[in-house]
């Protein structure tokens, strides 16, 4: 599975951004697609994930109610809509795929920078 992330950029606090992740190659193997982020000096953290079969999303508590994960209908593309952005959301964001029978996320896209300023 190959993943291509896009979107990101700079925005003021309270603003919105949308990240996208396009999957290709053997997408039938995907079980769920997740988003993670890593801020400078911090460990990578889970942001959210969406089930590939039924499009059910899950969110980290830190983004619940502000971020929305949804899949483009009929396409191998997932969007992470980020609203109400906070300074703490500044990080490099990565999308990753967990395939069937895998215990963890094994395919990763390149990171995309999100910077939230005051």
């Amino acid at each position: 599975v190959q993943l291509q992330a896009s979107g990101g950029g700079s925005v003021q606090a309270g603003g919105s951004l949308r990240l996208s992740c396009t999957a290709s190659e053997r997408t039938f193997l995907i079980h769920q697609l997740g988003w993670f982020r890593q801020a400078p000096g911090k460990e990578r953290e889970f942001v959210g994930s969406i089930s590939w079969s039924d499009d059910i999303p899950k969110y980290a508590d830190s983004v619940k109610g502000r971020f929305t994960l949804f899949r483009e209908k009929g396409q191998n593309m997932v969007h992470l809509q980020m609203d109400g952005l906070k300074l703490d959301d500044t990080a490099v964001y990565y999308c990753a795929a967990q395939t069937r029978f895998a215990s963890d996320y094994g395919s990763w896209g390149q990171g995309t920078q999100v910077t939230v300023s005051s």
Side-chain angles (χ1 to χ4, degrees):
V1 176
Q2 299 294 319
L3 302 173
Q4 179 73 38
S6 60
S10 298
V11 67
Q12 287 192 320
S16 298
L17 282 173
R18 178 178 291 188
L19 305 182
S20 300
C21 183
T22 303
S24 61
E25 298 188 23
R26 299 187 177 184
T27 58
F28 63 93
L29 291 174
I30 298 175
H31 169 58
Q32 61 183 354
L33 193 142
W35 283 94
F36 296 79
R37 66 186 182 186
Q38 187 165 21
K42 293 187 178 181
E43 292 187 355
R44 185 175 63 199
E45 65 170 346
F46 171 79
V47 174
S49 65
I50 188 164
S51 169
W52 206 247
S53 61
D54 53 19
D55 295 345
I56 295 178
K58 298 178 188 176
Y59 302 99
D61 288 343
S62 58
V63 306
K64 205 172 288 184
R66 300 187 297 120
F67 289 12
T68 304
L69 264 171
F70 63 98
R71 186 173 168 186
E72 197 78 35
K73 218 169 209 181
Q75 296 187 28
N76 296 320
M77 181 182 288
V78 168
H79 301 291
L80 178 65
Q81 177 66 37
M82 305 184 293
D83 300 314
L85 282 162
K86 304 177 180 179
L87 298 180
D88 286 347
D89 294 320
T90 295
V92 177
Y93 284 70
Y94 301 88
C95 62
Q98 180 183 9
T99 55
R100 300 178 196 175
F101 313 118
S103 59
D104 207 344
Y105 291 89
S107 299
W108 292 80
Q110 85 287 8
T112 184
Q113 177 71 45
V114 171
T115 302
V116 183
S117 59
S118 58

